[in-house]
Amino acid sequence: MAWAPEARTAPGRDTGGTSLEVLRALESGPRGLTEAEADARLARHGENVFPGRRPASWPRRFARSLRDPFTAVLLFLGLVSSVMASWGTACVIAVLVTVSCVLRATGEHRADRSAAGLRELVATTATVRRRATESAPPATRELPVEQLVPGDLVLLGPGDLVPADLRLLRATGLTVHEAALTGESAPADKSAPGATTATAPGLLCLQGSSVVSGTGSGVVVATGRDTVLSGALPADGPDTGPGPGGRGRLPRPFDRSVNGIAWTLIRFMLLTAPLVLLADALVRGRGLATLPFAVAVAVGLTPEMLPVIVTSALARGAALLARDGEVIVRRLPALHDLGAVDVLCVDKTGTLTEDRPVLALAEDAAGHADRDVLRWAAVNALWTLHLAELPVPDALDEAVLEADATDVLAHGDEPPFALFEGVDALPCGPGRRLSTAVVRLPGDPRFALAGTHTLVVKGAPEDVLDRCALDPAERARLTRRADDLAAEGLRVLAVARAERPARDRPYTEADERDLTFTGFVGLADAPAPTAAEALAALARNGVTVKVLTGDHPGTAARVCRELGLDPGTPVTGERVDELDDARLARLAAGTTVFARCAPAHKARVVRALRGAGHATGFLGDGVNDLAALHAADVGVCPRDGVDVAREAADVVLASKDLTSLDRAIVAGRGATANISAYLRITLSSNFGNVIAMLVAGLMLPFLPMLPAQVLVQNLFFDAAQLALAFDRQDDRAHTRPAVLRPRALLRFVTGFGLLNATADLATFAVLALAVRSLGAEAGQDAFHAGWFTENLLTQAMVMALLRSGRLRAPRPVRVAVAGLAIVGLLLPLSPLGAMLSMSPLPMLYYGLLALVLAVYGGVLWVARSRARA
């Protein structure tokens, strides 16, 4: 189903009339604008550039990063610490917030700069006719596209990109590829306007399309933000950055998971701090004296490094992808969303196929394979191209000639140009769906008129069969056969011949009669070389691929079968229109191919899949894909997509290659696994410590750990956990969508947190035994030192055992774990330990602690193995 973008009101575009009337409306003429008038219009209308999203400045990105819920809570705790003159706590919090915001702002700023650099890879000039002065003759020259203005005369040739919205003034065999705008893979014919022809799609060439063949000239009727291409964005515009809901739509996986976990923990943290104050006030009578300790507990419970770890893991994954030149992640949370994707919607043309046809069959009237049918089709294609002087061959003719060349090499036959000499040709054209080549046997041209000429006709089956000498029953049978082949997804061409006495006057369409039917040629879209491999890899990684295309259902189904993807029963856009959202969601879950889809159908299918709970990605490159790009959790666009599609996308690919997209999904899952490992490790440890602090605070006559000690411990633990962003995941982490599920995480944290609290309580018993011979003050300092050491050692053990990466940890993780253990053992013995009110411990403590840690490590290993199973 074709889609024609609705043109905005502009002089000469929505107004009927002759070419002269259009030029008058635009105050232009066939000689072009003068340079002075063009400069004045440029100042009035602005440059001819796409008005895409203006990249946010680095300071603005930094300020926007403060909206993260954990960052906001840390700022609040820092403010409370400042009011209480706890400057150490306030400084630590300020450092954490600054590092997180700097990493996030820098990563997104680099991604936008990389995406902006892609614009340099597309054509930037147009051929324009202008005059230096009113009396000067018109001159044709290359002009930067951004300097075009309404009223400019633009010349078009094969391979040119249409630089603005044009009203055609002249067209000779002009065909334009409008797939980026309409989704139709076949080029559209553009007719030369008649004296009284009103405005019609055939007279408009829109920005974003490209010339396939022929030449033409047109007058610019719209530039910049007034073009159809610029006006095709959804009403609520492109994404303005990360945040809950993103584009004013359903929350994305990142928003649902990270923010859901964040607010659950924030509520628990805000409940814990008052509970500490209340317990100490009621049981020990300390009252507000424990407020600094309560704030330290709140900071200790908060995974304050979450923004830093999330940003570091995502930025590292995005940087690795960008370094290979394959993928640019424009919005860092989109890498997490890619890892969560379990349904990927793609177009067929250019993604699963190479956007070029290849020969699938050549058969005679009886349905038997026949090489002669291909030979005659190649004769028609070759001599039509040469004699009609077509600028470029039709894609179907190219496929026929390529297949015939391969067949010639395989059988050692003569090529078509050696078999016949060309005499005349009647090419295809607007409203004409067949071509005729007139050929003769090679020989002396002086005796050519004494022989015969052979008319070789090739084209749409119904048009060719109408010109064949067939009885009605045979014509009906052949028509059914052509329909059956089309239903199988083939583009069918019929081939017929006729012998005529040689003559020297030109041939006309009237000679295309009483033909002898030769056979059918069937062509199919060539599968992309890496498509089958990529589809298999996506399936292994738990991603279901659905094809959303404007092509015939049989064509899409055939391509899917060739690539090993079961097409099932294709659903058409008409069927989508008949269903409400709930029924469409149920249908979409079990459907692989949606064919004859308009842009609205694609967007509805994507929204239905998301509404059913699927994390959905969409790969598209044209204006007709904008609605679906906007509706998806992750919008993906190749580098050569139109500007508006790249601006609307979250991820930009170097090419329309599913293999690179699969690698990006794997990278997203690895980053998400590292984030999940951080949450499991830090929350399990923090939750266990908070329980131990509450119990110790009620049992001990002194605070179990001083606020400064809590903050220093957290600082070292947080610094060590930065290494988790560099962890390498095993293959199991890539075989399923990676989603941070709050409930599953909290169950894990509760179980391992209680295990950690048990180890802490056992340490209390060890400390009571080891320091009982010391005095009150010395015993208190030794208790603080002992618990500080045990905490860092157990946290190092948790990092080593609860990480989700490969069995052998990478060097950064090993260094971090070793460093954390060394700090835990040596800091209490150093001068810094004395400054933090910690004193050396007797050797008995270290022996008993080793026993506790051995038991704890064994239980932790068994529990982790069961949790993974």
Side-chain angles (χ1 to χ4, degrees):
M1 181 179 294
W3 170 69
E6 183 179 353
R8 295 180 177 184
T9 301
R13 179 164 64 190
D14 293 331
T15 309
T18 64
S19 299
L20 183 59
E21 290 171 340
V22 172
L23 289 172
R24 285 175 177 171
L26 292 165
E27 297 181 359
S28 182
R31 302 172 66 212
L33 300 174
T34 64
E35 293 293 348
E37 176 62 21
D39 291 340
R41 296 190 183 194
L42 184 63
R44 185 165 65 248
H45 294 279
E47 290 189 336
N48 178 37
V49 295
F50 168 66
R53 177 181 66 178
R54 183 180 180 181
S57 63
W58 191 93
R60 185 175 179 182
R61 293 183 184 278
F62 181 90
R64 197 166 61 193
S65 300
L66 298 175
R67 295 185 304 180
D68 181 89
F70 275 125
T71 302
V73 170
L74 285 175
L75 287 175
F76 172 74
L77 293 176
L79 180 62
V80 172
S81 301
S82 300
V83 170
M84 297 186 308
S86 298
W87 301 114
T89 305
C91 290
V92 171
I93 291 174
V95 169
L96 293 175
V97 169
T98 302
V99 170
S100 171
C101 293
V102 166
L103 285 174
R104 176 172 293 186
T106 301
E108 293 186 356
H109 186 65
R110 287 177 177 173
D112 256 3
R113 284 193 306 175
S114 298
L118 296 174
R119 295 192 182 97
E120 300 176 0
L121 301 176
V122 298
T124 57
T125 62
T127 306
V128 180
R129 183 182 299 159
R130 281 187 182 175
R131 294 171 291 156
T133 63
E134 284 287 350
S135 58
T140 299
R141 64 188 182 92
E142 292 293 313
L143 193 72
V145 166
E146 59 267 19
Q147 295 183 21
L148 288 180
V149 296
D152 262 329
L153 293 184
V154 176
L155 306 182
L156 299 175
D160 287 348
L161 296 176
V162 179
D165 286 357
L166 308 179
R167 164 70 183 260
L168 287 175
L169 303 176
R170 178 187 61 79
T172 304
L174 185 65
T175 60
V176 176
H177 199 276
E178 296 179 331
L181 294 159
T182 65
E184 291 290 340
S185 57
D189 294 323
K190 298 296 179 179
S191 306
T196 59
T197 303
T199 300
L203 298 184
L204 288 177
C205 283
L206 301 179
Q207 184 184 38
S209 53
S210 59
V211 178
V212 177
S213 63
T215 59
S217 64
V219 60
V220 175
V221 297
T223 60
R225 66 178 62 252
D226 294 325
T227 63
V228 169
L229 190 63
S230 298
L233 277 174
D236 51 350
D239 192 9
T240 55
R247 305 170 177 179
R249 59 187 192 179
L250 292 173
R252 308 188 215 214
F254 182 84
D255 303 320
R256 293 195 302 267
S257 56
V258 174
N259 290 345
I261 293 170
W263 285 112
T264 300
L265 296 174
I266 287 171
R267 294 185 188 100
F268 185 71
M269 177 202 68
L270 295 177
L271 176 66
T272 302
L275 184 61
V276 171
L277 286 174
L278 183 61
D280 278 353
L282 293 178
V283 178
R284 293 294 176 181
R286 299 187 184 113
L288 292 178
T290 59
L291 184 58
F293 177 70
V295 172
V297 170
V299 174
L301 180 63
T302 305
E304 60 269 20
M305 292 297 290
L306 180 60
V308 180
I309 293 291
V310 167
T311 305
S312 299
L314 296 178
R316 180 174 180 269
L320 291 176
L321 292 171
R323 185 184 305 167
D324 296 335
E326 293 182 347
V327 181
I328 293 176
V329 180
R330 302 190 62 204
R331 183 182 58 86
L332 284 183
L335 187 59
H336 167 275
D337 295 342
L338 268 180
V341 162
D342 62 336
V343 175
L344 177 65
C345 299
V346 302
D347 193 8
K348 175 187 69 67
T349 304
T351 303
L352 301 180
T353 65
E354 288 189 318
D355 199 14
R356 67 179 182 88
V358 294
L359 182 76
L361 63 85
E363 64 178 38
D364 59 19
H368 301 140
D370 190 342
R371 294 177 53 226
D372 286 343
V373 177
L374 175 61
R375 303 308 310 278
W376 285 114
V379 168
N380 171 280
L382 176 69
W383 292 112
T384 300
L385 172 63
H386 285 296
L387 297 178
E389 298 183 355
L390 299 177
V392 292
D394 179 78
L396 300 182
D397 284 343
E398 283 187 317
V400 168
L401 291 172
E402 181 180 353
D404 184 66
T406 302
D407 186 75
V408 165
L409 289 175
H411 294 86
D413 295 337
E414 293 290 332
F417 62 82
L419 294 175
F420 297 97
E421 292 179 349
V423 176
D424 200 356
L426 302 174
C428 296
R432 175 177 164 81
R433 301 190 302 166
L434 53 80
S435 64
T436 296
V438 183
V439 297
R440 67 185 177 196
L441 293 174
D444 191 338
R446 293 176 299 173
F447 302 102
L449 294 181
T452 60
H453 288 168
T454 303
L455 279 66
V456 186
V457 181
K458 172 174 62 64
E462 53 270 35
D463 291 17
V464 174
L465 291 174
D466 285 344
R467 291 163 171 77
C468 290
L470 298 169
D471 61 70
E474 180 66 5
R475 180 177 286 108
R477 185 186 68 83
L478 292 174
T479 300
R480 287 194 301 271
R481 177 56 180 165
D483 292 341
D484 291 342
L485 293 175
E488 294 176 8
L490 297 178
R491 302 181 193 181
V492 184
L493 298 174
V495 182
R497 308 193 311 275
E499 302 292 334
R500 299 283 190 266
R503 69 189 194 199
D504 56 0
R505 59 184 176 85
Y507 285 83
T508 67
E509 294 183 14
D511 296 303
E512 298 169 336
R513 54 182 174 77
D514 297 330
L515 306 176
T516 300
F517 181 76
T518 303
F520 291 120
V521 172
L523 300 111
D525 290 330
T530 61
E533 174 189 352
L535 289 175
L538 288 168
R540 288 194 301 269
N541 291 333
V543 178
T544 300
V545 175
K546 297 186 181 296
V547 180
L548 279 58
T549 179
D551 279 343
H552 188 281
T555 303
R558 182 185 183 91
V559 169
C560 290
R561 284 192 294 270
E562 290 179 353
L563 296 175
L565 183 64
D566 183 7
T569 302
V571 173
T572 64
E574 293 179 355
R575 174 64 173 154
V576 172
D577 289 333
E578 297 171 356
L579 303 175
D580 58 26
D581 291 343
R583 293 169 61 197
L584 178 59
R586 291 193 295 270
L587 178 66
T591 300
T592 300
V593 175
F594 290 86
R596 296 297 191 195
C597 285
H601 297 137
K602 296 181 181 181
R604 278 202 67 199
V605 171
V606 170
R607 283 194 295 268
L609 290 167
R610 292 191 65 206
H614 295 284
T616 307
F618 182 84
L619 173 59
D621 64 348
V623 176
N624 59 318
D625 295 322
L626 282 175
L629 284 169
H630 183 266
D633 286 305
V634 186
V636 184
C637 179
R639 180 185 67 189
D640 55 359
V642 298
D643 284 349
V644 283
R646 288 203 307 270
E647 291 289 338
D650 304 304
V651 177
V652 178
L653 304 180
S655 62
K656 250 189 174 182
D657 186 355
L658 289 180
T659 303
S660 60
L661 183 56
D662 177 67
R663 285 192 285 270
I665 290 174
V666 169
R669 291 179 179 179
T672 301
N674 289 341
I675 296 169
S676 178
Y678 163 76
L679 286 170
R680 291 197 305 270
I681 291 169
T682 191
L683 293 179
S684 299
S685 180
N686 290 355
F687 182 61
N689 287 342
V690 166
I691 294 175
M693 285 181 181
L694 288 174
V695 173
L698 298 177
M699 296 175 58
L700 299 174
F702 54 86
L703 291 176
M705 192 175 289
L706 299 179
Q709 296 167 353
V710 173
L711 291 173
V712 170
Q713 171 190 282
N714 288 340
L715 183 61
F716 281 111
F717 188 32
D718 291 339
Q721 289 179 101
L722 283 174
L724 293 174
F726 299 90
D727 203 0
R728 294 193 297 269
Q729 302 301 313
D730 57 26
D731 294 337
R732 290 184 301 174
H734 306 152
T735 57
R736 57 187 180 276
V739 181
L740 300 174
R741 295 181 173 86
R743 291 185 179 180
L745 178 64
L746 292 179
R747 285 196 301 269
F748 183 97
V749 167
T750 301
F752 282 89
L754 292 174
L755 183 60
N756 188 304
T758 302
D760 286 342
L761 294 176
T763 302
F764 293 165
V766 169
L767 284 169
L769 179 63
V771 303
R772 62 182 178 178
S773 61
L774 303 177
E777 184 175 353
Q780 181 176 329
D781 290 349
F783 186 95
H784 291 158
W787 197 22
F788 182 92
T789 297
E790 185 267 348
N791 266 335
L792 288 188
L793 290 177
T794 55
Q795 287 169 347
M797 187 175 294
V798 167
M799 272 193 67
L801 295 179
L802 293 189
R803 49 178 288 273
S804 59
R806 297 175 181 174
L807 185 60
R808 177 176 172 81
R811 182 181 179 86
V813 176
R814 297 198 304 271
V815 170
V817 170
L820 197 60
I822 292 172
V823 169
L825 290 169
L826 299 183
L827 189 142
L829 307 177
S830 69
L832 181 59
M835 294 173 59
L836 293 172
S837 301
M838 291 187 289
S839 62
L841 290 153
M843 292 304 297
L844 175 62
Y845 168 74
Y846 292 105
L848 295 174
L849 178 61
L851 179 61
V852 171
L853 291 177
V855 174
Y856 175 64
V859 175
L860 193 66
W861 177 268
V862 173
R864 188 202 69 156
S865 300
R866 290 185 176 180
R868 280 194 167 187

